[in-house]
Amino acid sequence: MSVSAQSYLPAPSLYTKAHNDSIAQIVESFGSEDFVNANKGFIGGYDKEGKIVKANKLPEEKDWNYWKTKIPENINPSLWHYIHVNGPAGLFEVLPNQIYQVRGLDIGSVTFVKTNTGYVVIDVTTNEEAAAAAYQLFTHFVGKHPVKAVIYTHSHGDHYAGIQGILKSQPDNGAGIPIIAPSKFFESAIGENVIAGAPMGRRATYQFGTFLNDDADGYSLTSRHGDLIPATQELTEDEQTVKIDGVDFDFLQTPNTEAVSATIVYIPKYKALCQADEVIHTMHNLLTPRGAKIRDGLAWSKYLDRALAKWGKEVQVSFGQHQWPVWGNDKVNELWEKQRDLYRYTHDQTLYFANQGYTPSEIANTIKLPKSLQDYTANREYYGKLSFNARSQYQLYFGFFDGVPANIDPLTPTEEGKEWVEAIGGVEQAL
């Protein structure tokens, strides 16, 4: 939503205004921490003409206070907070001279991790053009270093489809560069993008607004050149260390969580944890509206707990492939614990209500998060939604049938519509 939203949206109803006022109290408790983290280490980016420009200065806390005073009364204050925190685009220094990220050029980010003689690239965005622009930005400010390997964190297109933008930047179009991915990566990517690709792609246009113009009505995703290039090495163990150009990368595979084939990565040398999409700054979908295999909230929470047990005492920074990093051992642990508890609670409460005999729609309208989870900034319902997630966990265990015999063989929407019109008394009466 653009900052000019107030000029074209209608005035809010009394109900909407009262609701937004109540949310504003929660947003006030967020403070400026997210905003500061999202801008930390900003080096530079592209201007409106496509020229690379260096940042003049790092944003200060007063900048967030400025945006906070500009919240339109017809926009949810929590969403407004998220829009402006997630807005900065360009090259960011995660750890000085060690880890860099390009964020905001695409829905996905590109991460560059320093090795002995070059860099490892983690994830490559949705398309070749965005990945190439990210690499160009990186080399402009950091220098042209050889890519020693590429890591796909999981089997979703916004993490692997831009691979050619990286490979074509290297000698011989990247021939011989290892591409490392979790187990069953190629099988899972084919399943989503080929076997179920057409309907899932069509549904995705509605979820993400692919064909919207970049104007006041919203922002669209780009549809450019993407490729599926298989990994040269798929991980074989649940926990596996791969040494790349003298630096250890510790992998913990997390299948059937955010993706069927997925991994998180810890880099002991830098005490840095790549959370992939297992931890993000919003509630995630346990079933995405575009369609996908249902995600297991119980398994998801257990993998996050396992990561905390392995690396929680020493980790100093956690970065993902969307949004901004978090620094400091206590803050990283808080983020991971809150997200772990979010998915575990959603799963457990859904099963609790199912055991009481509640149907999916009844569960969706009954389940509530405790205040400690609901008011945490990274658990807000910007992308995923609690009621939708609860229904997905019900379906994971019991299928789409709600147990009501009358719903075993439902009418099509057209036939049901005709029945309703007849029951009302005909077309004129219905109108």
Side-chain angles (χ1 to χ4, degrees):
M1 192 70 68
S2 73
V3 294
S4 62
Q6 196 167 15
S7 64
Y8 68 89
L9 286 177
S13 67
L14 293 177
Y15 173 85
T16 299
K17 189 174 186 310
H19 177 74
N20 285 349
D21 288 346
S22 69
I23 298 297
Q25 298 174 23
I26 298 173
V27 174
E28 186 67 30
S29 69
F30 294 168
S32 61
E33 182 177 322
D34 285 345
F35 188 79
V36 171
N37 282 342
N39 287 278
K40 184 175 179 178
F42 183 49
I43 296 174
Y46 292 98
D47 64 15
K48 292 181 179 180
E49 284 71 43
K51 296 179 181 179
I52 295 177
V53 293
K54 188 175 182 179
N56 294 324
K57 67 181 183 71
L58 293 177
E60 300 171 357
E61 184 174 337
K62 65 180 182 181
D63 293 306
W64 169 241
N65 290 330
Y66 168 78
W67 287 116
K68 192 171 63 175
T69 64
K70 302 295 182 181
I71 304 175
E73 62 178 2
N74 42 26
I75 291 180
N76 186 299
S78 186
L79 182 59
W80 180 262
H81 169 94
Y82 192 71
I83 290 167
H84 292 290
V85 167
N86 208 36
L91 178 68
F92 297 81
E93 191 175 57
V94 179
L95 291 178
N97 303 312
Q98 296 172 339
I99 299 177
Y100 298 86
Q101 278 194 314
V102 176
R103 304 195 296 268
L105 303 188
D106 186 74
I107 60 168
S109 302
V110 184
T111 304
F112 300 89
V113 180
K114 186 175 178 60
T115 57
N116 285 351
T117 63
Y119 280 81
V120 167
V121 176
I122 302 180
D123 286 345
V124 290
T125 78
T126 63
N127 62 79
E128 177 182 331
E129 292 83 355
Y135 184 76
Q136 183 181 14
L137 200 57
F138 169 74
T139 57
H140 179 87
F141 289 109
V142 183
K144 191 161 188 177
H145 302 276
V147 173
K148 309 305 291 188
V150 173
I151 295 172
Y152 298 149
T153 60
H154 58 288
S155 53
H156 291 157
D158 53 324
H159 298 262
Y160 67 75
I163 182 63
Q164 292 284 22
I166 298 298
L167 296 183
K168 289 180 180 179
S169 70
Q170 302 301 299
D172 299 324
N173 288 327
I177 292 178
I179 301 176
I180 302 168
S183 176
K184 298 184 179 180
F185 165 81
F186 192 69
E187 173 187 328
S188 301
I190 288 291
E192 280 204 4
N193 294 284
V194 179
I195 297 174
M200 195 177 295
R202 182 171 61 249
R203 289 165 60 121
T205 64
Y206 295 108
Q207 180 179 352
F208 295 117
T210 309
F211 299 120
L212 289 176
N213 294 321
D214 291 336
D215 57 21
D217 294 311
Y219 294 111
S220 70
L221 296 183
T222 57
S223 295
R224 296 177 180 169
H225 302 100
D227 286 284
L228 171 55
I229 295 181
T232 60
Q233 177 185 352
E234 288 195 3
L235 302 172
T236 57
E237 306 294 333
D238 291 344
E239 298 182 22
Q240 186 172 342
T241 298
V242 179
K243 187 180 290 291
I244 306 173
D245 190 32
V247 175
D248 286 341
F249 288 75
D250 295 343
F251 293 89
L252 170 59
Q253 295 203 71
T254 57
N256 301 314
T257 53
E258 204 272 342
V260 176
S261 171
T263 185
I264 53 180
V265 191
Y266 184 68
I267 309 150
K269 181 177 181 179
Y270 305 130
K271 297 182 179 179
L273 184 51
C274 174
Q275 62 206 39
D277 283 2
E278 309 300 69
V279 171
I280 59 175
H281 291 278
T282 173
M283 180 187 295
H284 214 313
N285 292 302
L286 293 177
L287 172 61
T288 173
R290 66 180 168 83
K293 291 186 178 180
I294 299 171
R295 299 155 181 177
D296 185 344
L298 177 61
W300 196 327
S301 69
K302 286 185 175 182
Y303 281 120
L304 298 189
D305 195 59
R306 192 164 156 187
L308 284 167
K310 284 179 65 64
W311 303 306
K313 290 183 179 179
E314 62 182 60
V315 63
Q316 293 300 321
V317 60
S318 182
F319 61 89
Q321 300 314 103
H322 303 279
Q323 308 150 335
W324 58 93
V326 169
W327 289 266
N329 182 264
D330 57 335
K331 292 296 184 180
V332 172
N333 276 266
E334 180 184 31
L335 173 64
W336 280 67
E337 288 168 359
K338 293 288 190 182
Q339 292 255 294
R340 173 199 64 191
D341 296 348
L342 170 66
Y343 301 124
R344 183 61 182 260
Y345 184 91
T346 303
H347 169 276
D348 288 0
Q349 283 294 292
T350 299
L351 269 291
Y352 169 78
F353 286 122
N355 276 294
Q356 306 304 309
Y358 286 64
T359 64
S361 59
E362 290 172 331
I363 296 173
N365 283 279
T366 303
I367 190 169
K368 303 290 183 186
L369 288 178
K371 188 174 178 62
S372 60
L373 294 179
Q374 176 182 304
D375 291 354
Y376 182 63
T377 174
N379 285 354
R380 301 293 295 172
E381 295 176 283
Y382 305 122
Y383 186 52
K385 185 169 176 60
L386 180 62
S387 59
F388 199 87
N389 283 347
R391 292 169 69 186
S392 78
Q393 296 304 274
Y394 186 99
Q395 185 175 343
L396 176 68
Y397 282 91
F398 309 110
F400 62 84
F401 177 49
D402 60 5
V404 179
N407 294 333
I408 288 178
D409 191 15
L411 296 170
T412 66
T414 299
E415 292 304 314
E416 184 178 7
K418 292 178 180 178
E419 296 286 347
W420 274 110
V421 170
E422 183 179 346
I424 291 170
V427 174
E428 293 299 323
Q429 187 66 28
L431 291 175

